[in-house]
Amino acid sequence: MDRIRIRGGKPLHGVIQIGGAKNAALPLMAVALLSPETLRLSNLPHLVDITTMVQLLAELGVEINMNGDAPNGGHIGRALELKGAEPASCTAPYDLVRKMRASVLVLGPLLARWGEARVSLPGGCAIGTRPIDLHLEAFKALGVEIELEEGYVRAAAPDGLKGAYVLFPSVSVGATENVLMAATLADGETVIANAAREPEVVDLAHCLKAMGAQIEGIGTDTLKVTGVAQLHGADYEVIPDRIESGSYAVAAAITGGEITLQGARLDIMDAVVDVLAKAGVEMTTGNGGVRVARTGEAINGIDVMTEPYPGFPTDMQAQIMALLAVSKGASMITETIFENRFMHVPELCRMGADINVHGSSAIVRGVGKLSGAETMATDLRASVSLVLAALASEGETIVNRVYHLDRGYERVEEKLAACGADIERLE
Ligand code: EPZ
């Protein structure tokens, strides 16, 4: 079980290449199921979740060619060619779905293209029960018959999907993406109201349009989709990862250094820029990247609440908590998206942080210094918050179970070591 050892206390200086967005790449790969023609995706990150999705799509009959690294031979992103041929089966098996919730994103495309799908219920994960009821209710509105049996969702639309009005009672990124993909081949018009507006949803809509889908309202909370008979192939580049960008911005801020995030896009991370500015961290665009550094000596204590886009992303909550743990003030962080996303708190407290959780809020009182400790990663973003805290700690930190980290961060120890961090992976 891989572990990472970090000896903290050194300000980081240098350049970090930002990869393609994991949470855009996963739905974009599922799009391949919608078309018999070749979809070529570029700027894909090298991540475990991407490999899992490749395995799942291959089981569902998608022909996949990996075009290796980027043209210049660097790790600037992998290109994939995917072609959705007739599947041997329309089943997404438990052993793949349990590893990666995003597997449920094959439901919509399978129903739209083949009229049937059998997908294992994803089960919960560390940050919450994470049901898929919103996905299933929306599919029922499109004329899908849903049965739950032996831990699987069995879905069928023998007469094809019919366009419908879908109103989500609460915002869901995955449910919006699933229904949007299905609606592109449905018969008639679908309106998706209270749709998620995350940049990854926008990226998906842009790719679908490039394949001939008819979608209006992209970027708003109301999407209007007019079904077409077939989607053609396309060549599409995945947007940069705004959460990876935010995570490394915190690495610069928490160590009092200065990092340039090569390829980051500030226009899709306004809320993160605003929160970091209030905390005393400046992000400015220049020479092909985004420069991040503290504006003054200390980090200010601030209040933060996670919200659906364009609000502050829940995927940055653990990272900002690590930063505020070493601020010169007190902060309140409120998590409104997931019911159990404070698993990093006890681990940060073992490193000397002063954090108290009250329901969905955590009170963080800044301490002068954190101290290294042996810690345990529990989920993807919690694990990176421990790495960030370790970079600012006196002494040595070991982060166990870093397989969580590898699901969402490409070569994290290489990228940080290149900026001067004393970090290495222990077999
Ligand atoms: C996506 O998950 C992301 N994953 C998550 O990133 C991210 O935290 C989340 O959106 C919120 O931004 C991918 O894109 C692969 P939701 P998703 O449906 O789609 C509840 C990471 O770290 N809900 O917007 O699963 C749900 O339990 C991951 O990269 C239902 O109740 O999130 C949650 O409380 C973690 N019923 C809330 O809605 C449903 O049918 C928002 O979930 C669906 C969701």
Side-chain angles (χ1 to χ4, degrees):
M1 179 110 43
D2 278 359
R3 304 178 301 157
I4 281 185
R5 178 176 61 200
I6 296 155
R7 295 188 184 97
K10 301 167 68 175
L12 300 188
H13 292 274
V15 179
I16 289 183
Q17 176 65 45
I18 298 300
K22 166 179 85 78
N23 291 349
L26 294 170
L28 285 171
M29 291 167 72
V31 164
L33 292 162
L34 285 170
S35 172
E37 297 183 19
T38 299
L39 170 62
R40 188 178 185 282
L41 296 175
S42 54
N43 195 33
L44 286 166
H46 290 241
L47 298 171
V48 167
D49 274 9
I50 301 295
T51 307
T52 304
M53 185 58 97
V54 164
Q55 288 167 342
L56 174 60
L57 293 176
E59 290 220 4
L60 296 171
V62 176
E63 295 160 20
I64 299 174
N65 287 314
M66 272 186 212
N67 286 9
D69 288 339
N72 65 5
H75 278 288
I76 311 291
R78 182 168 55 189
L80 275 185
E81 288 182 354
L82 306 107
K83 195 170 172 181
E86 175 102 29
S89 90
C90 289
T91 294
Y94 172 69
D95 67 319
L96 283 175
V97 177
R98 72 176 173 75
K99 273 196 280 189
M100 183 184 64
R101 276 186 47 74
S103 309
V104 291
L105 292 173
V106 303
L107 254 176
L110 287 173
L111 286 166
R113 183 89 181 283
W114 308 110
E116 63 167 308
R118 186 169 171 273
V119 176
S120 166
L121 281 164
C125 74
I127 61 179
T129 53
R130 302 192 69 184
I132 59 169
D133 55 316
L134 298 176
H135 300 238
L136 303 182
E137 288 310 307
F139 287 133
K140 284 179 190 166
L142 295 181
V144 175
E145 293 152 12
I146 301 275
E147 277 174 42
L148 301 185
E149 57 177 31
E150 297 162 11
Y152 277 76
V153 173
R154 176 186 288 281
D159 308 326
L161 299 180
K162 301 278 180 289
Y165 179 79
V166 174
L167 168 62
F168 282 119
S170 62
V171 174
S172 163
V173 171
T176 300
E177 292 168 340
N178 232 338
V179 179
L180 173 59
M181 289 187 281
T184 58
L185 297 181
D187 177 19
E189 182 175 277
T190 298
V191 173
I192 305 174
N194 199 23
R197 298 162 53 194
E198 271 66 6
E200 294 74 27
V201 178
V202 171
D203 215 25
L204 173 64
H206 285 154
C207 179
L208 289 166
K209 280 199 80 164
M211 298 169 75
Q214 293 182 19
I215 306 170
E216 294 168 48
I218 296 176
T220 75
D221 63 0
T222 305
L223 297 170
K224 194 156 80 173
V225 187
T226 305
V228 295
Q230 181 167 310
L231 295 182
H232 53 70
D235 201 331
Y236 195 79
E237 179 174 323
V238 178
I239 54 168
D241 195 316
R242 61 193 170 104
I243 305 301
E244 186 190 23
S245 302
S247 302
Y248 288 123
V250 170
I254 203 169
T255 60
E258 175 187 327
I259 291 178
T260 296
L261 307 172
Q262 208 72 38
R265 272 183 48 188
L266 282 190
D267 65 306
I268 56 176
M269 46 194 302
D270 286 352
V272 173
V273 174
D274 292 349
V275 160
L276 286 174
K278 288 197 186 84
V281 181
E282 190 180 44
M283 295 180 79
T284 47
T285 304
N287 56 28
V290 171
R291 176 189 169 278
V292 188
R294 287 188 190 187
T295 47
E297 266 305 295
I299 294 294
N300 313 318
I302 56 170
D303 292 345
V304 183
M305 179 178 284
T306 63
E307 292 172 304
Y309 194 87
F312 186 83
T314 175
D315 291 350
M316 277 295 299
Q317 181 256 105
Q319 298 91 312
I320 203 76
M321 185 182 285
L323 177 63
L324 296 174
V326 296
S327 73
K328 281 272 176 286
S331 310
M332 182 162 79
I333 298 175
T334 304
E335 171 58 59
T336 69
I337 307 292
F338 288 105
E339 70 267 26
N340 184 33
R341 203 167 196 177
F342 285 138
M343 309 278 279
H344 40 287
V345 170
E347 295 302 306
L348 290 172
C349 289
R350 295 181 58 249
M351 299 172 77
D354 178 354
I355 307 169
N356 289 292
V357 173
H358 301 273
S360 61
S361 290
I363 307 294
V364 183
R365 292 182 178 82
V367 295
K369 265 277 179 205
L370 295 174
S371 48
E374 177 117 23
T375 63
M376 184 75 72
T378 49
D379 61 273
L380 169 54
R381 306 303 173 182
S383 50
V384 82
S385 84
L386 298 179
V387 169
L388 295 169
L391 292 170
S393 298
E394 278 167 354
E396 181 175 288
T397 299
I398 301 281
V399 181
N400 292 294
R401 295 190 184 170
V402 284
Y403 59 85
H404 290 293
L405 207 52
D406 297 336
R407 294 189 49 193
Y409 291 89
E410 184 181 328
R411 298 174 298 111
V412 62
E413 67 272 20
E414 278 177 45
K415 293 188 176 185
L416 289 171
C419 292
D422 181 348
I423 179 171
E424 65 175 314
R425 186 177 289 253
L426 309 174
E427 297 305 322

